[in-house]
Amino acid sequence: WNASDIYTLGDIVVHNGRYFRALWWTQGNEPRSDVERDEWQDLGNVPAQDSPYFSDVSNEAWYAPAVNALASEIVDGAANGVNFQASRPITRAQFALWLCRALDIAPVEGGDNFSDAGNDAYTPYLAALKQAGIAKGDEAGLFHPSDYITRQALCRLLYDACDGFAEDPPTTFAPYAD
């Protein structure tokens, strides 16, 4: 939990050795087990920590093997780097950095980049994805690095990074209305 972060319905945080779930939008309201608060649900004690990477990932968690496998070289912690914060959304810049790490795409200093790439740690990764033709940006050529990534944008980046698939699945394979 971080006082300056914004939490929305369903976000799970670790605070003072306990798990708490946000019941709706909240910021700065400290989750506490000794006081009844309407914005947090106390989910109980955090089990003894056995993850080598993140203090909020128990080896009993269904996602622990994947997180621990990716933690050493691809993903990094949120906020202070000690917590994984599994229920928090990720930005487009974070995903770009992780995608480059996963595919061994070297960051590129200089050259063609998105006009909104800024001058941050992720900037050379955005340039690498753009120059490789993996990330194309929106109609205006912007990447929007600080926006949270949508599932559709994530899927598009993965698809383009893999240069499509040998055979596209039939449309009945993905019966999503949206």
Side-chain angles (χ1 to χ4, degrees):
W1 176 80
N2 185 329
S4 63
D5 284 350
I6 296 173
Y7 300 99
T8 58
L9 176 66
D11 286 346
I12 296 176
V13 299
V14 175
H15 184 60
N16 291 336
R18 299 186 69 76
Y19 285 116
F20 292 89
R21 177 182 289 125
L23 298 177
W24 54 69
W25 185 95
T26 182
Q27 181 180 20
N29 295 317
E30 181 178 2
R32 296 181 49 189
S33 58
D34 61 335
V35 176
E36 186 152 335
R37 308 247 355 217
D38 291 338
E39 60 273 319
W40 293 105
Q41 175 187 9
D42 185 351
L43 300 176
N45 287 324
V46 175
Q49 186 54 44
D50 42 20
S51 171
Y53 302 102
F54 302 114
S55 64
D56 61 346
V57 176
S58 166
N59 277 346
E60 286 79 40
W62 63 269
Y63 53 84
V67 168
N68 289 333
L70 296 174
S72 64
E73 300 197 19
I74 297 172
V75 300
D76 43 16
N80 59 8
V82 176
N83 295 319
F84 183 70
Q85 297 180 346
S87 65
R88 300 289 291 168
I90 61 170
T91 65
R92 294 171 54 84
Q94 285 173 304
F95 185 74
L97 185 143
W98 294 347
L99 181 61
C100 286
R101 288 178 181 170
L103 299 177
D104 282 329
I105 298 172
V108 174
E109 298 290 341
D112 191 23
N113 205 343
F114 299 99
S115 60
D116 62 345
N119 187 20
D120 291 290
Y122 58 76
T123 302
Y125 295 94
L126 298 184
L129 291 180
K130 183 174 185 185
Q131 292 175 32
I134 295 170
K136 296 166 183 63
D138 66 9
E139 300 82 30
L142 302 174
F143 190 77
H144 304 280
S146 60
D147 288 357
Y148 293 131
I149 194 163
T150 62
R151 287 183 278 186
Q152 70 188 32
L154 187 145
C155 289
R156 184 63 202 218
L157 284 169
L158 288 174
Y159 184 83
D160 289 345
C162 296
D163 200 23
F165 300 112
E167 184 176 316
D168 286 338
T171 56
T172 57
F173 182 71
Y176 304 110
D178 61 350

